[in-house]
């Protein structure tokens, strides 16, 4: 048995932000970042809330928000007592809104206590609205929140079905402001979610349908969204695809790519989506030993013709590598800017942390400590995974 959880309401299409004029309540706390404020998005949200008769306060978070920042936001929420928590921006802002909301609702619990197997008892004080301005994390529809523990140099992998937002607003005007590099990074983040959702051990009919549709949309529209900033259709389709991918992995899970990404991102601070661009082909090569038929189905869905599963996997890997190259993404950890000395110094630690990631059990192929170390070395050097 698996409990499937989706946002109660998903608002799509031009003018989506205006939905805020029709929500009830008296107070809202808007969690955002400095860039989002400068772009005027916060003013628009606050304006629509005012039209609804809702007063608001804003709380600004940094990229990859820390536990300390979340604690400050939760204290503000307890003092202000909002009936809505609103996450506005990229994945970091939305993840922060979820974590702040949790601590506001449950001051008796520690952030680290969040896991998929307990009831949190949320929505006694407030509900959650998420408004993504980037097209990658899928956090506006997912059960996950990733928060940085600065002291331990790690990303906390936290997930629970109750963290799925009440309302997700996908206004296609918002991602139009994304610069080219962010389009590429977030696009690969969304692609990795869909790819991993489709091969995760807890996959099911619902996650499969969403993951395949997301993959189709991403391969079709990500190159256009990257190449032509004014392409409204491509930006809108990518925005929808990212949320679909977030829905998909919430019903199944992410796997090895995110185990790698969370560990290396926490230590080396390479943007998450960029790491997903690096990892995706290697993860497919590693997992194809046991789920080649699943990757062959993905390949078929994006128009790849092949006589065998092995041929389909090879062509899918090459298709991803080609997309990665066209979008200017690194092909190895070395190209991602991680110095060999730093990598080798921490290799044993990296491998151990990857094997202990909470998402690794979702991966269809087991990963020993020895193989984790070997895989990391292959990815650093850009070698084809042949074991």
């Amino acid at each position: 048995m698996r409990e499937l959880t989706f946002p109660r309401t998903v608002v799509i299409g031009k003018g989506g932000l205006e939905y805020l004029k029709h929500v009830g309540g008296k107070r809202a706390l808007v969690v955002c970042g400095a860039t989002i404020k400068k772009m005027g998005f916060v003013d628009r949200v606050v304006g629509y809330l005012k039209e609804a008769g809702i007063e608001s306060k804003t709380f600004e978070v940094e990229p990859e928000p820390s536990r300390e920042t979340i604690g400050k936001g939760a204290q503000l929420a307890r003092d202000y007592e909002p009936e809505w928590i609103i996450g506005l921006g990229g994945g970091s802002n939305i993840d922060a809104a979820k974590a702040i909301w949790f601590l506001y609702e449950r001051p008796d619990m520690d952030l680290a206590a969040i896991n998929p197997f307990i009831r949190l008892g949320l929505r006694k004080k407030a509900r959650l609205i998420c408004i993504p301005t980037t097209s990658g994390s899928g956090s506006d529809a997912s059960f996950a929140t990733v928060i940085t523990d600065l002291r331990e140099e790690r990303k906390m992998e936290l997930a629970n079905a109750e963290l799925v937002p009440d309302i997700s607003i996908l206004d296609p005007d918002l991602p139009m402001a994304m610069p080219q590099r962010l389009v590429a990074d977030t696009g690969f983040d969304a692609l990795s979610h869909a790819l991993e959702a489709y091969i995760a051990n807890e996959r099911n009919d619902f996650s499969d349908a969403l993951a395949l549709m997301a993959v189709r949309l991403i391969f079709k529209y990500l190159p256009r969204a990257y190449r032509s900033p004014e392409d409204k259709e491509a930006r809108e389709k990518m925005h929808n695809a990212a949320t679909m991918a977030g829905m998909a992995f919430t019903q199944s899970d992410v796997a090895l790519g995110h185990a790698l990404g969370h560990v290396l991102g926490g230590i080396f601070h390479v943007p998450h989506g960029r790491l997903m661009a690096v990892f995706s082909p290697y993860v497919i090569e590693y997992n194809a030993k046991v789920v080649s038929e699943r990757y062959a189905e993905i390949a078929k869905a994006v128009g790849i013709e092949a006589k065998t599963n092995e041929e389909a996997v090879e062509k899918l890997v090459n298709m991803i590598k080609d997309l990665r190259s066209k979008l200017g993404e690194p092909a190895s950890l070395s190209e991602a800017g991680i110095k060999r000395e730093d990598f080798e110094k921490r290799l044993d630690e990296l491998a151990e942390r990857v094997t202990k990631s909470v998402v690794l059990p979702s991966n269809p192929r087991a990963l020993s400590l020895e193989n984790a170390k070997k895989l990391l070395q292959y990815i650093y050097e850009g070698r084809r995974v042949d074991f």
Side-chain angles (χ1 to χ4, degrees):
M1 181 182 74
R2 187 174 180 90
E3 180 181 339
L4 305 183
T5 309
F6 300 87
R8 182 182 178 92
T9 302
V10 179
V11 180
I12 64 172
K14 189 173 178 60
L17 270 187
E18 295 188 29
Y19 185 84
L20 293 170
K21 294 191 294 187
H22 308 292
V23 298
K26 295 180 180 179
R27 287 180 298 279
L29 177 63
V30 181
V31 180
C32 60
T35 301
I36 297 302
K37 272 191 172 182
K38 291 177 183 176
M39 297 171 72
F41 293 155
V42 174
D43 290 340
R44 290 178 63 187
V45 166
V46 168
Y48 287 134
L49 291 172
K50 189 174 182 180
E51 288 188 52
I54 301 172
E55 66 177 60
S56 61
K57 284 189 176 182
T58 61
F59 180 73
E60 191 174 309
V61 301
E62 74 275 26
E64 299 184 353
S66 67
R67 293 190 70 165
E68 290 75 14
T69 296
I70 300 306
K72 293 175 183 176
Q75 185 58 57
L76 174 60
R78 286 190 286 270
D79 294 340
Y80 187 53
E81 297 184 338
E83 294 150 290
W84 291 105
I85 303 289
I86 300 177
L88 173 66
S92 290
N93 299 354
I94 292 176
D95 283 358
K98 291 179 179 180
I100 289 168
W101 177 46
F102 165 73
L103 291 178
Y104 170 46
E105 294 269 356
R106 296 301 306 266
D108 58 313
M109 294 180 71
D110 185 78
L111 202 59
I114 297 175
N115 69 72
F117 310 109
I118 61 173
R119 292 290 179 183
L120 301 181
L122 305 183
R123 295 174 172 83
K124 300 292 194 304
K125 299 177 181 178
R127 288 182 289 164
L128 179 67
I129 298 174
C130 291
I131 309 169
T133 61
T134 62
S135 307
S137 76
S139 189
D140 62 290
S142 84
F143 69 159
T145 177
V146 178
I147 303 300
T148 300
D149 188 316
L150 295 174
R151 283 179 292 182
E152 297 186 10
E153 289 187 296
R154 71 183 180 97
K155 291 189 176 184
M156 303 172 70
E157 302 169 309
L158 310 172
N160 186 283
E162 291 180 58
L163 293 178
V164 174
D166 297 276
I167 300 171
S168 174
I169 298 177
L170 306 180
D171 190 320
D173 285 345
L174 302 184
M176 292 301 296
M178 281 195 296
Q180 199 174 42
R181 178 50 39 214
L182 190 57
V183 170
D185 288 349
T186 57
F188 265 98
D189 191 14
L191 180 60
S192 70
H193 292 152
L195 292 171
E196 295 199 90
Y198 198 76
I199 56 89
N201 289 331
E202 296 296 321
R203 61 186 182 265
N204 53 74
D205 291 345
F206 293 85
S207 61
D208 282 356
L210 287 161
L212 282 183
M213 187 61 186
V215 168
R216 289 191 191 103
L217 289 172
I218 292 166
F219 273 115
K220 182 175 180 179
Y221 291 104
L222 179 54
R224 282 174 49 181
Y226 176 80
R227 188 171 56 245
S228 305
E230 73 286 350
D231 190 334
K232 293 183 179 181
E233 181 187 31
R235 292 288 176 103
E236 180 174 6
K237 294 294 187 180
M238 279 302 302
H239 214 43
N240 293 345
T243 294
M244 288 180 189
M247 289 179 178
F249 81 75
T250 296
Q251 317 318 319
S252 56
D253 211 342
V254 288
L256 175 57
H258 281 73
L260 292 163
H262 292 157
V263 171
L264 275 81
I267 290 176
F268 295 116
H269 307 293
V270 178
H272 177 70
R274 198 164 304 165
L275 286 174
M276 293 301 100
V278 171
F279 293 143
S280 290
Y282 303 101
V283 168
I284 292 174
E285 289 172 344
Y286 181 81
N287 283 334
K289 301 288 186 183
V290 296
V291 285
S292 63
E293 75 285 353
R294 297 294 290 181
Y295 288 123
E297 290 169 7
I298 294 173
K300 184 178 180 180
V302 296
I304 292 174
E305 295 182 1
K307 294 180 180 179
T308 65
N309 289 344
E310 290 71 24
E311 182 186 359
V313 171
E314 184 177 359
K315 287 184 175 180
L316 178 62
V317 166
N318 288 337
M319 190 174 182
I320 294 170
K321 288 180 177 179
D322 182 61
L323 178 62
R324 185 174 65 184
S325 176
K326 287 178 178 176
L327 270 59
E329 294 286 4
S332 67
L333 291 174
S334 175
E335 286 186 17
I338 298 174
K339 295 179 180 178
R340 180 176 288 276
E341 180 184 359
D342 295 336
F343 174 76
E344 291 181 347
K345 185 192 308 182
R346 306 193 72 162
L347 179 56
D348 289 340
E349 178 191 0
L350 293 170
E352 184 176 3
R353 286 196 184 195
V354 169
T355 60
K356 291 181 178 179
S357 168
V358 299
V359 303
L360 191 60
S362 298
N363 199 64
R365 184 182 175 192
L367 184 72
S368 66
L369 185 60
E370 179 184 357
N371 274 351
K373 187 174 179 179
K374 189 175 181 180
L375 180 62
L376 284 163
Q377 289 172 318
Y378 273 49
I379 298 172
Y380 187 85
E381 296 168 1
R383 297 169 58 188
R384 181 179 178 275
V385 179
D386 57 3
F387 62 92

